[in-house]
Amino acid sequence: MDASIEFQDTSTSLSGTLRNLIGGIQGQSVTLRQLMDAVGEQGLLLICAVASLPFLIPVSIPGVSTVFGAAIILVSLAITANRLPWLPRQILDRRLESAKLVPALEKGVNIVSRLDRYLKPRLTGLTSGRFINRINGLAITLAGVLLMFPLGLIPFSNTLPGIAILLLSTGMIQRDGVVVLAGYLFNVITIVYFGVLAYFAFSAGQGIASLFG
């Protein structure tokens, strides 16, 4: 069986596709396995987009950061390798409370709906071909790693890489190279932001050390 993946163009609005997926969540809890089964093998980028939604708003849902962050990294690595992803059972089958997750996803979709009017095929050289898909996959992986940094209490530490993941994945889905470039920009912004945080933390540490020196 050929495990390679290809990304298909879509004429359906991204927010409409996401709403249909979220509307299918039933019961008191949901797992990543159920979400992946709903989107099918061609939905790897859609999984990345869905997993980025809770990080676009200031909300804390137990387990989401670990499950969705790890999923983004592993799925994006699969995109880079042009293969279907392998995910550990602990990530696939961990149950997330629907009552908290679904409202967060819906709020994220409301943000995505504002992008719909701007999404269109352009600069398609940045969204077509195995080589560029692998480069874009690595960019999503980088954003996923930045998302997993233990800085959840610091403003924008999750939001900035979450935006990068959303832009990169939706840009690839909709063949919009401009949006993909915006995703790269948010990766750069995130790295600069984390660098500034590290500098101030180091400076504060040096100041405290000098007081007791």
Side-chain angles (χ1 to χ4, degrees):
M1 178 180 177
D2 183 7
S4 64
I5 56 174
E6 295 180 358
F7 307 123
Q8 307 295 330
D9 291 322
T10 176
S11 58
T12 306
S13 71
L14 179 64
S15 61
T17 301
L18 293 173
R19 282 197 175 97
N20 288 337
L21 176 62
I22 296 167
I25 297 177
Q26 299 177 349
Q28 295 182 344
S29 64
V30 65
T31 66
L32 181 61
R33 187 189 299 277
Q34 291 171 320
L35 293 176
M36 293 189 71
D37 287 344
V39 300
E41 292 182 352
Q42 301 293 344
L44 300 186
L45 290 168
L46 189 58
I47 281 294
C48 289
V50 170
S52 72
L53 296 181
F55 303 106
L56 304 183
I57 56 177
V59 62
S60 177
I61 305 174
V64 167
S65 178
T66 300
V67 172
F68 280 8
I72 288 168
I73 293 173
L74 293 173
V75 169
S76 61
L77 286 174
I79 293 171
T80 302
N82 198 41
R83 291 290 183 270
L84 295 178
W86 173 86
L87 297 173
R89 184 179 301 175
Q90 294 90 333
I91 297 297
L92 282 173
D93 294 330
R94 181 166 181 176
R95 294 205 162 271
L96 304 172
E97 189 176 344
S98 299
K100 294 182 178 179
L101 178 61
V102 170
L105 292 176
E106 290 175 342
K107 289 179 181 179
V109 171
N110 290 336
I111 296 174
V112 173
S113 66
R114 301 173 190 173
L115 293 175
D116 279 338
R117 71 185 71 177
Y118 303 108
L119 291 169
K120 58 184 178 181
R122 49 188 169 176
L123 294 182
T124 54
L126 296 176
T127 62
S128 303
R130 289 189 176 186
F131 176 75
I132 193 63
N133 280 339
R134 288 175 176 177
I135 298 299
N136 292 338
L138 286 174
I140 297 175
T141 302
L142 172 61
V145 171
L146 295 172
L147 185 66
M148 292 288 284
F149 272 36
L151 301 173
L153 297 179
I154 298 178
F156 307 115
S157 61
N158 284 339
T159 303
L160 292 175
I163 292 174
I165 293 164
L166 177 65
L167 292 175
L168 287 162
S169 56
T170 57
M172 292 176 71
I173 291 170
Q174 301 287 359
R175 295 290 191 267
D176 194 332
V178 172
V179 173
V180 169
L181 285 177
Y184 278 94
L185 175 61
F186 268 90
N187 263 350
V188 173
I189 291 173
T190 304
I191 292 171
V192 171
Y193 181 59
F194 283 8
V196 171
L197 291 177
Y199 171 78
F200 281 113
F202 177 78
S203 298
Q206 290 289 91
I208 293 173
S210 65
L211 289 176
F212 294 94

